[in-house]
Amino acid sequence: DARVTQTPRHKVTEMGQEVTMRCQPILGHNTVFWYRQTMMQGLELLAYFRNRAPLDDSGMPKDRFSAEMPDATLATLKIQPSEPRDSAVYFCASGIPGSSYNEQFFGPGTRLTVL
Amino acid sequence: DQQVKQNSPSLSVQEGRISILNCDYTNSMFDYFLWYKKYPAEGPTFLISISSIKDKNEDGRFTVFLNKSAKHLSLHIVPSQPGDSAVYFCAASHLNRDDKIIFGKGTRLHILP
């Protein structure tokens, strides 16, 4: 049963602390996307990778957010330092470029609360 | 500037009736449109798609209609069932340009007993 996994599922932290979220894409998928869901903005694309190379991180606050793919089975999203306005659900998704409609498969999300 | 707009944050429909969710887009270069469904505490899951060369795609109780001249699409669910209560995201992609999908803000559908 191939699925995208994300850890942790929930994270509560204090302002100023570093937060690291992890994602394991579906085996064989070589595009990985990070989204943030908030009530106001819906699903915002933060960054995406193809074959582990970052292609677009224009949606990410550069001063505090960073996204990497150390290997094909792991993507990370870090926030340092975290702020209360970063509280949201963060989703990772993976896909296969050139698929018929760019379908993406989402993980269950990490709910982040910054106090 | 939002390229994909879902102007109704929520919608309530009686069980058994038709649910119609609407979506507007601004970029005429989009060539595929998708609908995703999201339950609480889960990630969005793909529901149905339509190519820009078509005006209708049907899959069981779900039908998506595309009106390119109006830059408008809609998702029809007939008949609506309790399990359809979820948030529905409209999305669009430009296959020849990149791998990205642009999502709307979502519409929360409540199916009333």
Side-chain angles (χ1 to χ4, degrees):
Chain A
D1 183 23
R3 61 181 71 184
V4 175
T5 58
Q6 289 185 248
T7 57
R9 291 295 310 275
H10 303 272
K11 176 72 176 179
V12 180
T13 191
E14 292 188 347
M15 183 173 63
Q17 296 298 305
E18 177 178 303
V19 175
T20 299
M21 291 169 270
R22 293 176 175 81
C23 167
Q24 182 172 10
I26 293 173
L27 191 63
H29 285 190
N30 53 0
T31 53
V32 174
F33 303 82
W34 282 104
Y35 292 90
R36 175 170 62 184
Q37 185 190 12
T38 62
M39 293 295 293
M40 296 299 294
Q41 298 298 327
L43 274 171
E44 298 175 86
L45 178 66
L46 298 175
Y48 91 93
F49 296 77
R50 184 196 289 181
N51 295 324
R52 297 176 54 202
L55 289 193
D56 187 347
D57 62 1
S58 58
M60 210 163 62
K62 302 288 191 305
D63 56 339
R64 299 183 300 108
F65 284 57
S66 62
E68 296 179 344
M69 278 202 76
D71 61 62
T73 65
L74 177 64
T76 62
L77 179 66
K78 290 186 181 180
I79 309 174
Q80 168 61 20
S82 57
E83 297 180 2
R85 60 180 167 153
D86 301 329
S87 298
V89 181
Y90 291 81
F91 290 102
C92 174
S94 69
I96 302 172
S99 61
S100 59
Y101 39 78
N102 276 357
E103 182 182 355
Q104 295 175 15
F105 297 80
F106 282 78
T110 294
R111 180 175 293 277
L112 175 64
T113 303
V114 183
L115 303 174
Chain B
D1 180 30
Q2 259 204 307
Q3 297 187 64
V4 178
K5 301 177 185 178
Q6 294 177 259
N7 292 320
S8 298
S10 67
L11 176 68
S12 294
V13 174
Q14 206 77 35
E15 182 180 354
R17 299 286 186 108
I18 181 172
S19 295
I20 300 176
L21 295 92
N22 293 304
C23 178
D24 297 297
Y25 62 95
T26 57
N27 189 341
S28 58
M29 300 302 293
F30 287 139
D31 47 21
Y32 258 100
F33 302 90
L34 307 89
W35 285 93
Y36 276 75
K37 178 178 180 179
K38 184 186 179 304
Y39 291 120
E42 296 182 11
T45 55
F46 170 76
L47 183 60
I48 192 169
S49 68
I50 187 167
S51 162
S52 60
I53 63 172
K54 296 187 174 182
D55 55 18
K56 177 183 174 181
N57 187 28
E58 191 172 351
D59 183 2
R61 297 186 297 113
F62 302 90
T63 303
V64 57
F65 295 91
L66 176 62
N67 181 335
K68 283 184 66 177
S69 61
K71 294 192 177 71
H72 177 85
L73 63 154
S74 60
L75 174 68
H76 293 214
I77 307 173
V78 182
S80 300
Q81 297 176 355
D84 297 329
S85 293
V87 176
Y88 289 80
F89 289 98
C90 174
S93 68
H94 183 183
L95 288 187
N96 291 330
R97 181 183 146 188
D98 56 36
D99 312 307
K100 293 193 289 190
I101 296 177
I102 309 300
F103 285 88
K105 292 187 178 182
T107 296
R108 183 177 298 277
L109 176 65
H110 300 271
I111 303 302
L112 306 171

